[in-house]
Amino acid sequence: MSQSLERGLSVLTALATGQQTLDQLAERLGVHKSTVLRLLRTLESAGFVRRDGVHHYRLGSTLFDLAHRALEDLDVRVVARAHLVELSELTGHTVHLATLEGDEVVYIDKVDSHHAVRMYSRIGKRAPLHCTAVGKVLVAGRPQAQREAIAGRLAYPPMTANTITSAERYLAELDRVREQGYAVDRNEHEDFIHCIGAPVRDDGDEVVAAVSLSVPDVLLDFDGLLGLVDDLLSTAGRISAELGCRREITTQRKEV
């Protein structure tokens, strides 16, 4: 990668956290202000960056347009949208669609709950694999060798007191997910949020995405959330069917 391109990408990454001054960007990149200014002018001319006042810079509209086009190119997102909305209207809770990217989950669509108390997330946000329902679903759908390789790479940071913190426990959890057909996050990622997740499969029976329901525990207890598993699996099954999957979606509920 050329040095100029690498620095330009570093500028965009820095601006993703919020507006920055020229001085802040120069310090973050470890280069002279004149170098950053040249990069900013180039990025600004293409619409990737815009000036906010005289001394501050933000991400520009071109970047958001490209991101939107990239997401629209994900067929699963287009197919799933109406089903996600339907599930949210049926249950009243937040619905996510996520995919696997590297060793993280990426949320590619979301339908918000109408409740004032809700999970904070956004399209494009990344999340860990070891403590999210969607992460468990996406990894559980991989062949055994891949599951073991991923489990061996993860660092298992303890997000809450309930977080899985070892490869052994994680692999056992993935076996449970494969057996029962869905995954749970019982206050493992955030203390006051629990989730259930189910796999979306394509015409080759590969898990290409995961659908989840996320609920603050003050609104619905864990047993109540498990009562929505069939609705979640039905939604994931309809999306999968539209993608060409012929597998029948079933569930075997177990004590968690």
Side-chain angles (χ1 to χ4, degrees):
M1 183 185 298
S2 72
Q3 188 177 58
S4 294
L5 177 57
E6 186 174 3
R7 286 174 174 172
L9 293 174
S10 296
V11 168
L12 295 176
T13 301
L15 292 177
T17 64
Q19 69 174 13
Q20 303 275 322
T21 65
L22 179 61
D23 289 339
Q24 288 172 324
L25 289 169
E27 181 179 358
R28 185 160 182 170
L29 270 65
V31 298
H32 194 272
K33 287 191 291 185
S34 62
T35 300
V36 179
L37 185 58
R38 286 196 298 271
L39 290 170
L40 287 168
R41 285 174 175 169
T42 300
L43 292 168
E44 186 180 5
S45 68
F48 288 98
V49 167
R50 66 179 176 88
R51 275 184 290 179
D52 190 0
V54 178
H55 302 294
H56 291 84
Y57 294 85
R58 292 181 179 274
L59 294 178
S61 59
T62 297
L63 194 63
F64 298 121
D65 182 51
L66 289 175
H68 179 72
R69 291 184 188 184
L71 288 172
E72 288 296 334
D73 283 342
L74 295 172
D75 289 345
V76 64
R77 183 172 183 261
V78 176
V79 169
R81 182 62 187 178
H83 299 288
L84 304 182
V85 172
E86 183 179 356
L87 180 61
S88 180
E89 291 177 348
L90 175 66
T91 63
H93 302 303
T94 299
V95 179
H96 289 101
L97 182 70
T99 57
L100 184 65
E101 188 170 310
D103 288 342
E104 293 179 301
V105 165
V106 178
Y107 296 115
I108 61 172
D109 208 351
K110 175 186 180 183
V111 183
D112 267 317
S113 161
H114 297 300
H115 298 290
V117 181
R118 65 182 69 164
M119 174 184 179
Y120 169 73
S121 61
R122 55 176 170 76
I123 296 174
K125 181 178 173 62
R126 294 172 178 269
L129 295 177
H130 69 294
C131 57
T132 56
V134 286
K136 294 174 185 178
V137 164
L138 290 165
V139 179
R142 304 285 166 170
Q144 182 176 351
Q146 291 185 27
R147 297 197 306 272
E148 292 177 352
I150 292 171
R153 290 197 302 265
L154 298 183
Y156 303 98
M159 312 297 288
T160 74
N162 293 336
T163 304
I164 291 172
T165 56
S166 72
E168 292 76 17
R169 287 183 57 201
Y170 188 55
L171 287 169
E173 179 76 354
L174 296 180
D175 286 342
R176 185 206 302 260
V177 172
R178 290 174 65 86
E179 181 181 358
Q180 67 189 13
Y182 65 93
V184 302
D185 159 12
R186 192 169 187 175
N187 307 118
E188 297 170 46
H189 186 213
E190 297 181 76
D191 279 315
F192 66 99
I193 298 287
H194 44 214
C195 308
I196 49 176
V200 172
R201 298 176 181 271
D202 65 8
D203 57 351
D205 201 33
E206 300 290 330
V207 176
V208 293
V211 181
S212 70
L213 278 171
S214 302
V215 187
D217 52 19
V218 297
L219 295 178
L220 185 68
D221 64 19
F222 188 69
D223 287 339
L225 180 60
L226 288 182
L228 300 176
V229 164
D230 287 342
D231 295 322
L232 176 69
L233 288 170
S234 178
T235 297
R238 289 195 299 273
I239 298 170
S240 299
E242 285 200 36
L243 292 174
C245 179
R246 298 185 178 182
R247 173 190 289 244
E248 182 180 355
I249 304 297
T250 60
T251 175
Q252 297 179 25
R253 297 211 188 147
K254 295 183 177 295
E255 292 296 325
V256 180

